[in-house]
Amino acid sequence: MATLKFLSHKQIHSYYIENITTPLAKVRKQAYEQRVPFLFKVEEQDGKYFLMSGFRFYDSYKQLESQRLIPCLVKKANNTEPDRIVKVLKQGVNHEGTNWRFKYHLINRLVKVHRMDCQSIAFQLGKDESYIRGFLLDSEIPDYFKERAIRSNTSDLIQSIYLHPAIPDRDKLDFYQLAISGNLSNWQFYLLMSSYYSMYTSIYGHPFAHYRLVF
């Protein structure tokens, strides 16, 4: 059974808060206010309130109306955290226009913190496993390339470039750009790195290798 409650922002826990500009927050807030009646859906468990819908609108209200009480439709729940995150993710992926950072943050939390496998997450979201794997990018990769890798379905290649020890950090951005622009395929990357290793082992594997390097 659901109840109507007015909650403060300090009471509401959201698994992801987008850092948006004030003009964008105002646009979203206006869109929210035109959708009457509209209530944020919240689950209450162990005295805590978890936001389950209206994520983009909530981000704007948190920024613009930090002191305002928020009308919420509250239901009692008894979920594990992974189950709750899956429900939040399902809402954000299938029913709301959440951005790539929202999905990236929650999917990585499920995989890296809660050790859920991509196949299970994909099944519960009604998505292909490749969709989930597309968001598994290292946090050190710049957001610019994360977003475009996800859009261009080149996440595996971007991740391989990031992890490859033969590529100096100063050159990785160039490789990322080649990948997202379609000018470097997985096969081309494999051939390039295979060529590098062949050259590397031919130099260091020879019994007189250090003599050749010195002279």
Side-chain angles (χ1 to χ4, degrees):
M1 181 178 179
T3 58
L4 176 64
K5 291 186 179 183
F6 289 83
L7 303 174
S8 70
H9 290 288
K10 291 182 179 180
Q11 291 176 283
I12 300 173
H13 176 79
S14 179
Y15 282 103
Y16 178 79
I17 298 291
E18 185 179 1
N19 184 21
I20 57 177
T21 63
T22 298
L24 179 56
K26 289 180 178 178
V27 170
R28 289 187 181 178
K29 180 174 177 289
Q30 184 178 18
Y32 164 82
E33 291 172 341
Q34 290 173 351
R35 297 177 61 178
V36 179
F38 184 94
L39 296 173
F40 293 99
K41 293 181 180 178
V42 171
E43 286 190 351
E44 180 184 2
Q45 183 169 336
D46 299 327
K48 297 180 180 179
Y49 298 92
F50 299 92
L51 186 67
M52 305 302 292
S53 74
F55 308 108
R56 295 167 73 246
F57 296 138
Y58 182 75
D59 293 342
S60 66
Y61 263 82
K62 188 173 178 64
Q63 181 168 326
L64 299 173
E65 305 278 0
S66 60
Q67 303 303 314
R68 179 176 174 178
L69 294 177
I70 303 297
C72 300
L73 192 65
V74 181
K75 290 185 177 182
K76 293 281 188 178
N78 185 23
N79 298 312
T80 64
E81 184 173 67
D83 287 342
R84 187 185 305 113
I85 294 175
V86 168
K87 288 176 69 176
V88 168
L89 189 57
K90 190 172 184 178
Q91 176 71 17
V93 169
N94 296 328
H95 304 293
E96 298 188 24
T98 54
N99 69 6
W100 72 271
R101 289 185 183 87
F102 178 95
K103 304 174 185 75
Y104 168 84
H105 182 80
L106 269 66
I107 288 172
N108 276 269
R109 183 163 180 161
L110 287 173
V111 172
K112 296 176 181 178
V113 176
H114 296 291
R115 304 299 180 187
M116 284 188 68
D117 62 272
C118 294
Q119 187 178 17
S120 175
I121 299 170
F123 176 78
Q124 294 187 65
L125 265 60
K127 297 287 185 180
D128 290 334
E129 187 175 345
S130 60
Y131 175 86
I132 304 301
R133 292 193 177 281
F135 289 92
L136 298 181
L137 290 159
D138 195 277
S139 60
E140 294 299 317
I141 297 171
D143 280 358
Y144 174 88
F145 292 107
K146 282 199 201 81
E147 179 180 9
R148 283 154 183 79
I150 291 166
R151 289 181 178 178
S152 60
N153 197 29
T154 56
S155 297
D156 287 345
L157 180 53
I158 293 291
Q159 185 74 356
S160 295
I161 293 168
Y162 169 77
L163 293 173
H164 207 291
I167 305 174
D169 288 342
R170 65 179 181 274
D171 295 334
K172 286 180 180 178
L173 296 182
D174 293 329
F175 278 90
Y176 295 155
Q177 188 61 49
L178 287 170
I180 64 173
S181 63
N183 292 311
L184 179 69
S185 67
N186 283 284
W187 178 241
Q188 289 171 320
F189 182 69
Y190 170 77
L191 291 176
L192 181 64
M193 292 301 105
S194 296
S195 175
Y196 171 84
Y197 276 125
S198 295
M199 182 172 60
Y200 181 90
T201 53
S202 67
I203 292 175
Y204 289 93
H206 195 280
F208 304 107
H210 23 303
Y211 291 104
R212 293 208 309 276
L213 288 172
V214 171
F215 298 102

